[in-house]
């Protein structure tokens, strides 16, 4: 699965306690040949490490160990390295396995617990900035799920929707003197009201920025028919045929996506400036980490590709070089930024990603504090 499929409900299910052991495997992967040729070998090595961990665990019975190994073998057989992104996450218990392709790198590790490790999925979804796009005409509405890299048609919340086609009514035409315009037709208005109702249901269940694509009269009438469409952050006033390809749609959306990203970055910069002025600002990984742990961060801004390995000693974070020949005094955390992002979201903070080097003066990560 891709991380844009990570809904709040699915995340809650992934975090639920499971019969011990619940296995989480994470590893970096490569998007293109020839580098991706090594991914299959690394995955098999990771599975071998997981098997060894289970064999050495006195709390894992032979039956459970065998069942989990079978699930891992099925997962390995299903992994398609041609679809690889920047990391692979595999979850497995004696009863199931799940494969997640992640567009954000993750360290190589095996975690044995009674829950799955979700921090890398959560951070990757936040970084991907998923959005909804709705292509609309007088008689058809198609929903698309997208990120900056790709869009795909999504069949949920009743979408796609098609207006019922009725045979022409000669008597009605005689009464009004002519066939009515498509966009003044009450049937069209009724259809677009239905589109708005389905849209409202979707946004309530999975809030994301919304983009609308369609002819100007269709978008105007859609707004008149209900409130959900008015929340759109971007509009493309251009016809969208029912057979529009994902690549074509993403190309049409690109100016609106870039414009929204620019507006968001400017808004975030203003909020961080205001926080500095009111002394409710934290800058740098250690300060932001502390604020998130205390539940004081209301907004966390982080550069797009910022990731750091740190050593946690007495509640503070110190950058660490894994190649350095020394014994760490504290606990080494390879994906502390992902962990921080997940903790911030769990505390109700807003997390936004900015372009690389946007926060250079503040250690590449900053926060506006609640108090």
């Amino acid at each position: 699965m891709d991380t844009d499929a990570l809904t709040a409900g699915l995340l809650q299910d992934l975090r639920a306690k499971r019969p011990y052991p619940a296995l989480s495997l994470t590893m970096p992967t490569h998007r293109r040949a020839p580098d991706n040729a090594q991914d299959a070998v690394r995955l098999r090595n990771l599975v071998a490490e997981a098997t060894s961990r289970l064999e050495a665990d006195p709390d894992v019975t032979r039956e459970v160990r065998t069942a989990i190994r079978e699930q891992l073998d099925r997962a390995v057989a299903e992994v398609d390295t041609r679809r690889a992104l920047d990391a692979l996450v595999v979850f497995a218990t004696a009863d199931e396995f799940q494969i997640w392709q992640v567009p954000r790198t993750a360290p190589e590790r095996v975690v044995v617990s009674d829950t799955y490790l979700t921090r890398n999925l959560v951070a990757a979804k936040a970084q991907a900035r998923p959005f909804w796009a709705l292509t609309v005409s007088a008689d058809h509405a198609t929903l698309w799920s997208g990120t900056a890299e790709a869009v795909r048609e999504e069949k949920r919340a009743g979408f796609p929707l098609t207006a019922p086609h009725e045979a022409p009514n000669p008597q009605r035409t005689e009464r009004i003197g002519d066939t009515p315009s498509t966009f003044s037709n009450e049937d069209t208005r009724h259809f677009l009201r239905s589109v708005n109702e389905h849209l409202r249901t979707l946004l309530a269940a999975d809030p994301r920025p919304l983009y609308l694509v369609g002819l100007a009269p269709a978008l105007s009438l859609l707004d008149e028919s209900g409130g959900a469409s008015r929340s759109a952050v971007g509009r493309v006033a251009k016809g969208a045929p029912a057979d529009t390809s994902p690549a074509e749609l993403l190309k049409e959306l690109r100016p609106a996506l870039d414009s929204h990203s620019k507006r968001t970055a400017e808004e975030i910069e203003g909020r961080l400036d205001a926080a500095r002025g009111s002394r409710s600002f934290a800058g740098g990984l250690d300060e932001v980490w502390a604020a998130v742990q205390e539940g004081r961060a209301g907004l966390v801004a982080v550069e797009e590709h910022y990731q750091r390995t740190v050593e946690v000693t007495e509640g503070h974070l110190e950058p660490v070089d894994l190649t350095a020949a020394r014994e760490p005094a504290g606990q080494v955390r390879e994906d502390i930024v992902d962990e921080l992002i997940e903790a911030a979201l769990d505390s109700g903070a807003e997390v936004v990603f900015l372009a690389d080097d946007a926060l250079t003066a503040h250690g590449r990560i900053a926060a506006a504090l609640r108090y």
Side-chain angles (χ1 to χ4, degrees), residues 25-66:
L25 281 62
T26 69
M27 57 174 271
T29 52
H30 303 81
R31 294 178 180 242
R32 296 176 181 84
D35 293 334
N36 62 5
Q38 64 185 278
D39 293 343
V41 176
R42 295 182 68 176
L43 178 57
R44 286 196 295 270
N45 291 340
L46 205 59
V47 168
E49 179 187 339
T51 301
S52 297
R53 292 269 298 273
L54 294 178
E55 288 175 348
D57 193 330
D59 294 326
V60 180
T61 65
R62 179 180 178 182
E63 291 76 15
V64 168
R65 185 169 62 246
T66 300

Side-chain angles (χ1 to χ4, degrees), residues 327-343:
E327 190 70 27
Q331 184 181 13
V332 173
R333 310 273 259 278
E334 293 184 61
D335 53 355
I336 193 66
V337 178
D338 286 7
E339 189 174 339
L340 184 153
I341 290 167
E342 183 179 47

Side-chain angles (χ1 to χ4, degrees), residues 51-337:
T51 301
S52 297
R53 292 269 298 273
L54 294 178
E55 288 175 348
D57 193 330
D59 294 326
V60 180
T61 65
R62 179 180 178 182
E63 291 76 15
V64 168
R65 185 169 62 246
T66 300
I68 293 178
R69 180 57 198 254
E70 289 174 353
Q71 297 289 352
L72 288 175
D73 288 343
R74 294 189 186 104
V76 170
E78 285 195 17
V79 170
D80 185 355
T81 56
R82 295 170 300 179
R83 292 187 62 250
L85 298 177
D86 298 310
L88 176 70
V89 177
V90 177
F91 298 136
T93 64
D95 301 316
E96 67 169 2
F97 71 87
Q98 295 186 33
I99 301 168
W100 292 82
Q101 300 284 0
V102 181
R104 178 178 172 86
T105 190
E108 187 172 302
R109 65 143 64 87
V110 174
V111 176
V112 183
S113 183
D114 57 359
T115 60
Y116 290 143
L117 183 74
T118 58
R119 67 179 64 141
N120 306 113
L121 300 185
V122 172
K125 178 166 183 175
Q127 180 187 3
R129 295 189 290 272
F131 62 84
W132 297 120
L134 190 71
T135 54
V136 186
S137 67
D139 60 359
H140 194 82
T142 302
L143 177 69
W144 303 80
S145 174
T147 66
E149 296 183 341
V151 295
R152 67 162 185 254
E153 184 178 349
E154 189 83 8
K155 296 182 178 180
R156 61 182 288 189
F159 291 103
L161 287 170
T162 303
H165 290 279
E166 298 180 2
N169 186 336
Q171 294 180 344
R172 182 176 185 277
T173 301
E174 289 178 6
R175 287 199 305 272
I176 65 174
D178 195 6
T179 301
S181 164
T182 300
F183 295 106
S184 64
N185 188 329
E186 184 56 36
D187 290 339
T188 301
R189 294 177 179 273
H190 178 76
F191 170 67
L192 293 179
R193 280 195 293 270
S194 174
V195 171
N196 244 317
E197 287 302 316
H198 285 78
L199 195 56
R200 182 178 292 107
T201 299
L202 171 77
L203 294 177
D206 191 353
R208 302 185 190 179
L210 170 68
Y211 295 85
L212 299 176
V213 182
L215 294 174
L219 299 185
S220 177
L221 189 56
L222 182 66
D223 284 345
E224 292 176 15
S225 66
S229 63
R230 296 173 193 162
S231 67
V233 300
R235 296 164 186 265
V236 179
K238 185 173 182 178
D243 60 353
T244 297
S245 73
E248 291 170 339
L249 179 61
L250 188 58
K251 182 179 179 180
E252 295 295 340
L253 284 170
R254 183 62 63 191
L257 293 172
D258 292 343
S259 177
H260 179 60
S261 294
K262 183 179 179 181
R263 292 196 308 271
T264 300
E266 291 171 349
E267 176 193 342
I268 298 306
E269 289 171 6
R271 291 169 65 181
L272 292 175
D273 284 341
R276 281 194 295 273
S278 62
R279 297 185 178 180
S280 56
F281 175 85
L285 190 54
D286 192 44
E287 284 189 18
V288 176
W289 168 262
V292 167
Q293 296 304 301
E294 295 165 2
R296 295 190 298 123
L299 165 71
V300 174
V302 58
E303 289 185 8
E304 193 86 21
H305 297 102
Y306 182 43
Q307 291 183 291
R308 201 71 171 94
T309 299
V310 301
E311 182 181 329
V312 183
T313 305
E314 297 181 353
H316 290 282
L317 308 183
E318 291 292 339
V320 62
D321 182 359
L322 291 179
T323 63
R326 72 176 184 86
E327 190 70 27
Q331 184 181 13
V332 173
R333 310 273 259 278
E334 293 184 61
D335 53 355
I336 193 66
V337 178

